[in-house]
């Protein structure tokens, strides 16, 4: 199984290439749709990394592939600007999930 990156910026793409992960840089919804269609047809790709910007800008498209396709696994990652999440994201997620305050 291979990993594949779909990024909105060249810096993230370059860093992942240095780690041996292939990928593509896209900027528009049509380009993102084409990249997602490509990875959905490639059975060797097991994990697709998407920069978080796509989840914010095109949630309909990203949620559709995450919810309706069992393979590959889609993971949103922060880009060079960091994550858009609040600093205690993980703690609040766990608190919400189990119903206890940690």
């Amino acid at each position: 199984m291979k990993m594949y990156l779909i990024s909105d910026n060249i810096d993230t793409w370059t860093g992942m290439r240095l780690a041996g992960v292939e990928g593509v840089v896209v900027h528009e919804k049509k380009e993102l749709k084409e990249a997602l269609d490509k990875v959905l047809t490639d059975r060797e790709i097991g994990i697709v990394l998407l920069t978080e910007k796509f989840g914010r800008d095109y949630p309909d498209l990203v949620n559709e592939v995450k919810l309706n396709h069992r393979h590959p696994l889609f993971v949103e990652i922060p880009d060079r600007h960091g994550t858009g999440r609040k600093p205690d994201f993980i703690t609040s997620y766990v608190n919400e999930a189990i119903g206890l305050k940690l």
Side-chain angles (χ1 to χ4, degrees):
M1 290 285 163
K2 298 187 302 187
M3 290 177 68
Y4 192 82
L5 170 73
I6 302 176
S7 177
D8 64 309
N9 67 68
I10 292 182
D11 294 337
T12 303
W13 177 81
T14 301
M16 294 306 260
R17 287 289 298 147
L18 290 171
V21 177
E22 294 180 24
V24 65
V25 176
V26 299
H27 299 288
E28 298 183 19
K29 187 173 187 175
K30 181 182 177 206
E31 294 174 318
L32 176 60
K33 174 79 170 117
E34 291 170 359
L36 290 171
D37 290 342
K38 176 185 173 192
V39 298
L40 290 171
T41 60
D42 188 342
R43 302 310 293 167
E44 289 189 23
I45 297 174
I47 300 174
V48 177
L49 304 173
L50 294 163
T51 49
E52 287 180 340
K53 183 177 187 298
F54 294 130
R56 286 190 306 270
D57 292 351
Y58 312 115
D60 55 328
L61 193 54
V62 172
N63 290 336
E64 190 275 325
V65 294
K66 285 173 122 180
L67 295 172
N68 297 324
H69 297 279
R70 298 183 73 184
H71 183 274
L73 173 64
F74 289 90
V75 179
E76 290 184 55
I77 61 169
D79 63 13
R80 65 188 165 106
H81 300 293
T83 182
R85 299 175 182 162
K86 56 187 175 179
D88 66 341
F89 164 73
I90 293 175
T91 304
S92 63
Y93 182 75
V94 171
N95 289 341
E96 190 176 309
I98 63 174
L100 296 173
K101 186 164 185 145
L102 299 176

